[in-house]
Amino acid sequence: MTGIRVTILSGAGSTPRDAGTQMFVHAHGIQGTIGGGALEWEAMRCARQMLADGTKRSERKIALGPALGQCCGGAVSLLFEQADGMITEQGTPLWIWGAGHVGRALINTLHPLPDFQITWVDTDPARFPDMIPDGVTQLIAAEPARAMTHAPQEADHLIATYSHEIDFALCHGALLHGFASCGVIGSETKWARFTSRLRKLGHCDAQISSIRCPIGLPNLGKHPQAIAVGVASRLLNGRMHKNLADGTTREGMA
């Protein structure tokens, strides 16, 4: 699909989004956002004018206050170029295990974020929704624990399957394989039983404690979407702290 890709080249002062943020304008609509409001409407107007004129590339610097009446007070430089879509960023690998209510809520909350490259795993294609969001890789694995060996060792994992035995096997597999962070849905009772069983398999307490249970933020409640919001908050905060620490190990996640 041919359209105009709009990229923020640079920003000065207070701006809605950072350099590198993209939006794609095509004949039937838009994808992505460079911050909404008057800036985005002006970018859409320019892009559609380019589509009408056949212009392939242009740049424009916009002062948000004087030009658009926005109170941000900053300025942005925009690149407009003919393209077939946005440039896909390679985010942190995130494996979500389970396509039930919590798994679907996690996908709906996390897949729009450019921070993650998501793989979604379950045992049966019938467990997935009819439409898998763009950018999410569907993986059907009759034995999910065996699929764990195919995950990058720098991946984050969220375990929320329909089976406690599958959850346990995934925790065991994750500890053997390695991960950036790992969380499993469950109660204190479930995790106490898992901890005891994992010890018997030879995992020490320091290793076991690297898995977080429960996931999310307990004060937000147990609704699947509330769990997903809490998970997203922890993941994004972990990435922020990792970036601020300039490459040190990220904080414990969801």
Side-chain angles (χ1 to χ4, degrees):
M1 181 190 306
T2 301
I4 301 296
R5 183 169 61 225
V6 184
T7 305
I8 297 179
L9 293 176
S10 62
S14 178
T15 59
R17 298 291 298 274
D18 298 325
T21 303
Q22 298 178 356
M23 176 176 69
F24 183 60
V25 182
H26 52 88
H28 306 292
I30 66 169
Q31 294 173 276
T33 175
I34 58 170
L39 172 63
E40 190 157 284
W41 279 104
E42 178 62 12
M44 290 165 58
R45 186 193 68 77
C46 293
R48 289 193 170 119
Q49 187 63 52
M50 289 176 63
L51 288 172
D53 296 343
T55 305
K56 294 186 177 181
R57 190 181 190 280
S58 69
E59 293 185 25
R60 183 177 173 191
K61 185 173 182 178
I62 301 175
L64 302 179
L68 302 178
Q70 293 191 208
C71 58
C72 298
V76 295
S77 293
L78 301 179
L79 169 64
F80 299 81
E81 55 187 338
Q82 189 178 97
D84 294 323
M86 294 189 291
I87 299 173
T88 302
E89 297 182 16
Q90 295 298 312
T92 299
L94 171 62
W95 286 49
I96 296 177
W97 304 83
H101 294 302
V102 173
R104 294 183 186 211
L106 290 168
I107 290 291
N108 290 337
T109 300
L110 293 166
H111 92 82
L113 299 170
D115 305 72
F116 306 106
Q117 184 180 359
I118 299 176
T119 300
W120 195 9
V121 191
D122 210 315
T123 58
D124 189 323
R127 294 189 57 78
F128 291 92
D130 294 334
M131 296 294 293
I132 304 298
D134 291 340
V136 174
T137 299
Q138 180 188 34
L139 178 60
I140 300 164
E143 297 181 46
R146 295 181 64 182
M148 177 65 74
T149 61
H150 297 285
Q153 289 186 311
E154 70 273 17
D156 295 311
H157 294 272
L158 295 168
I159 300 171
T161 79
Y162 61 87
S163 163
H164 283 200
E165 284 306 307
I166 293 176
D167 287 354
F168 177 77
L170 286 168
C171 289
H172 175 50
L175 289 171
L176 292 175
H177 181 62
F179 51 81
S181 63
C182 183
V184 59
I185 194 168
S187 62
E188 291 183 4
T189 300
K190 175 181 175 179
W191 186 239
R193 291 175 178 169
F194 276 25
T195 296
S196 177
R197 293 176 65 186
L198 290 169
R199 284 180 185 138
K200 291 177 182 178
L201 290 174
H203 301 292
C204 68
D205 286 347
Q207 292 173 316
I208 296 169
S209 65
S210 66
I211 297 178
R212 188 179 187 94
C213 183
I215 57 174
L217 296 173
N219 60 300
L220 296 181
K222 297 180 180 179
H223 188 281
Q225 198 60 52
I227 293 171
V229 169
V231 166
S233 175
R234 286 187 178 275
L235 282 169
L236 292 173
N237 273 294
R239 284 179 62 81
M240 180 185 71
H241 289 300
K242 181 184 180 184
N243 292 338
L244 289 174
D246 191 27
T248 59
T249 304
R250 83 181 61 181
E251 292 184 349
M253 75 128 218

